Amino acid sequence: MARMTMIEAVRSAMEVSMGRDDEVVVFGEDVGYFGGVFRATQGLQAKYGKTRCFDAPINESGILGTAIGMAAYGLKPCVEIQFADYMYPAYDQITQEAARIRYRSNGDFTCPIVVRMPTGGGIFGGQTHSQSPEALFTHVCGLKVIVPSNPYDAKGLLIAAIEDPDPVMFLEPKRLYNGPFDGHHEKPVTPWSKHELGEVPEGHYTIPIGKAEIRRPGSAVTVVAYGTMVHVALAAAEETGIDAEVIDLRSLLPLDLDTIVQSVKKTGRCVVVHEATLTSGFGGEVVSLVQEHCFYSLEAPVVRVTGWDTPYPHAQEWDYFPGPARVGRALQEVMEG
Amino acid sequence: MNEVAHLSLHVPEPAVRPGGQPDFSNVKIAKAGAVPRPAVDVAPEEIRDLAYSIIRVLNRDGEAVGPWAGLLSDEELLTGLRNMMKLRAFDARMLMAQRQGKTSFYMQHLGEEAVSCAFRKALAKGDMNFPTYRQAGLLIADDYPMVEMMNQIYSNEADPLRGRQLPIMYSSKAHGFFTISGNLATQYVQAVGWAMASAIRNDTKIAAAWIGDGSTAESDFHSALVFASTYKAPVILNIVNNQWAISTFQGIARGGSGTFAARGLGFGIPALRVDGNDYLAVHAVAKWAAERARRNLGPTLIEYVTYRVGAHSTSDDPSAYRPKTESEAWPLGDPVLRLKKHLVLRGVWSEERHAQAEAEILDEVIQAQKQAESHGTLHAGGKPSVRDIFEGVYAEMPAHIRRQRQKAGY
Ligand SMILES: Cc1ncc(C[n+]2csc(CCOP(=O)(O)OP(=O)(O)O)c2C)c(N)n1
């Protein structure tokens, strides 16, 4: 098995899917000849031709709109929005159109598209290259929302997304593209080539959408996280020495409620971590569900650790980004509660 | 001291308001037969004039004249007349049904019947329309059962869309009719994508996009032109200019100069303006554009110049914003009467046969209505199951929706 970065794994997922199914087409800004600003689509045009992987005009609404039309025709478009921050012009096409075409036509038309977009901060992207808009999608019925945390999952989940009969939003934490990131910005990033989750099969495999994974078993407190925050949570557990169970959601919609409930019933405590802002963030949904399903097992109030309710700052991103220190304090607070 | 001229904002206004004399002197109408018919592979820049003129076939006397005439047989024209009459009768009955509280809402096509009915006949089986809400003629002219349309309008137990969509928001893949969105203009760029897909797969099918004059102001209209011209998509980009967007006159979306068709010129897309109340002209121009698309020559933009005689929808009162007699003053006449006159002139139709056809069609519509109403109307009789609310959000129902369905008791 080869070791791959998350970018290579994402590329491999598209390459494998395009090879297996000539209905899969890939397009977006700069994705054709150049291979995308993060090189996720590098080589696909050379291999599959420019009608299967091509550059799109800078027009996100157009990219989504044409993808929806292609899907109605019978293709499986996998499009790239250059940064999640730029999906807003396409938001109407995503939420009002793609998400509801199956429902409103009673299955007469469907919309098997994948919308890939780099998300999250930690690369000094400032306000407009750092957003985590997952909650804007999880609120929309008809979409599926995935956030992988490592190359192995990214490939298996992306192939599953491409094969899924419904529209899937695939949010790629760009801070993880080259290696796991545990929030210690002052330390060099360990590359994926040194990590077991960098072991990625060359060929086809899928990871089911809607299944969480327990990254670290523990009995004292449950930490619910996804994307970059999985690695931060793992670091916080190590550093505090608290016996935390870390759940990587992988898929936010549909959500693997059973895994969360089982874990919280066992530990009696819960901390939810995400990078997006606090108010009306996805963490609120997880806390509600935990309250509804685990109330009598809870020994302390559930705590959220998130980005602040401000735009993403450029220079102070390490103070914005929930790092292991903040997660560690939350763990201690919940343990004392 | 220098006098500084102060700026003032220009807000376009229609020529006349309620109480005034309708005035269409600004609508420049070419003589029937006067506009040339270029070869389909003409360079767009050679036919710039066609974006500013109006292609017409039927003249005032009911004769079909000029280079765009002669494409349809008597038989085909009689079918066209019948389809337009059917749509008109269907509209009248459904408007009444809405007034009787049998459905929440309706939108009629009065005055615009030729556009969708004639266009449909220029397409082939397997082609796809991405319509907006005033193109039911695409379904009627493709013999989609009226009773199905009514079931949809009534949201009854036989509604093919299970009560989920607003009335008139039909969907039929089999009849080349994409599911209608309530969000204006979104379908326009989707049509381009569908056409691109057909080209990617080296298929032979083409797509048609539909939009109203007001909605051309939406970004998606412009996105569609960008994508269609960039990839030379096999798509026909239709703009139905019926003069009004609810209460807003077309000058608000267009400004004071140019035409809607001319919007295509900057993109190098051949752009034609056509008399939308002339069944023969609409069909001929649509056929020309379809051939271009099918020969891989790329998109064509067509502006249909017509007039919305009825209200925008059952929630609208046009007398509040335009003269009551404006529709009578509309210089391009009534599409049904114009085709009828032509067929009478040709000796294949008569006043008697017309009256008889009207009666037959009314009967057909009433029969369909009875059948539809036997399945229920919006507030009475059979309804789709509450279970249907939860079905079909995804191909496979996820657990959270299943839990909610159980909670609802289904
Ligand atoms: C995105 C969006 N904005 C506003 C509306 C409300 N709306 C419905 S129809 C309409 C007017 C459309 O006029 P036009 O495009 O000229 O079509 P016509 O009704 O004349 O056929 C408006 C503003 C909507 N449905 N969607």
Side-chain angles (χ1 to χ4, degrees), chain A residues 72-143:
Chain A
Y73 173 90
L75 297 189
K76 292 177 189 153
C78 175
V79 300
E80 178 176 300
I81 297 293
Q82 202 154 71
F83 285 86
D85 313 65
Y86 307 135
M87 68 81 200
Y88 296 93
Y91 196 60
D92 184 43
Q93 289 284 353
I94 295 170
T95 61
Q96 312 287 303
E97 304 296 320
R100 290 210 299 262
I101 279 167
R102 175 187 294 282
Y103 192 75
R104 78 182 197 211
S105 70
N106 194 27
D108 194 20
F109 293 93
T110 61
C111 194
I113 65 173
V114 177
V115 187
R116 290 182 38 244
M117 53 181 85
T119 55
I123 59 150
F124 288 101
Q127 289 178 58
T128 54
H129 297 81
S130 308
Q131 295 172 42
S132 297
E134 61 272 15
L136 295 177
F137 302 124
T138 55
H139 191 61
V140 180
C141 30
L143 299 179

Side-chain angles (χ1 to χ4, degrees), chain A residues 22-23 25 27 51-52 54-57 59 61-63 65-70 72-73 75 92-93 96-97 99-106 108-109 140-144 165-166 253-254 257 292-293, chain B residues 128 130 160-162 164-165 171-174 177-181 183 186 189-190 192-194 196-198 200-201 203 205 220 222-223 226-227 230-231 388-396 398 400 403:
Chain A
D22 63 9
E23 281 164 0
V25 291
F27 63 105
T51 60
R52 296 209 40 219
F54 53 89
D55 289 329
N59 191 316
S61 171
I63 292 170
T66 50
I68 291 166
M70 290 181 196
Y73 173 90
L75 297 189
D92 184 43
Q93 289 284 353
Q96 312 287 303
E97 304 296 320
R100 290 210 299 262
I101 279 167
R102 175 187 294 282
Y103 192 75
R104 78 182 197 211
S105 70
N106 194 27
D108 194 20
F109 293 93
V140 180
C141 30
L143 299 179
K144 294 185 178 178
D166 289 308
L253 183 66
L257 182 60
E292 242 174 270
H293 294 268
Chain B
M128 188 64 72
F130 286 74
L161 305 180
R162 316 309 297 140
R164 293 171 185 155
Q165 272 276 47
S171 171
S172 175
K173 194 173 184 172
F177 195 95
F178 189 71
T179 155
I180 296 179
S181 176
N183 293 45
T186 52
V189 65
Q190 292 165 4
V192 177
W194 196 98
M196 287 167 66
S198 184
I200 288 171
R201 298 309 303 272
D203 201 344
K205 298 183 208 123
D220 279 353
H222 303 270
S223 301
V226 170
F227 279 74
T230 296
Y231 300 106
D388 283 319
I389 297 175
F390 301 93
E391 305 284 340
V393 180
Y394 299 95
E396 216 177 294
H400 68 284
R403 279 196 297 275

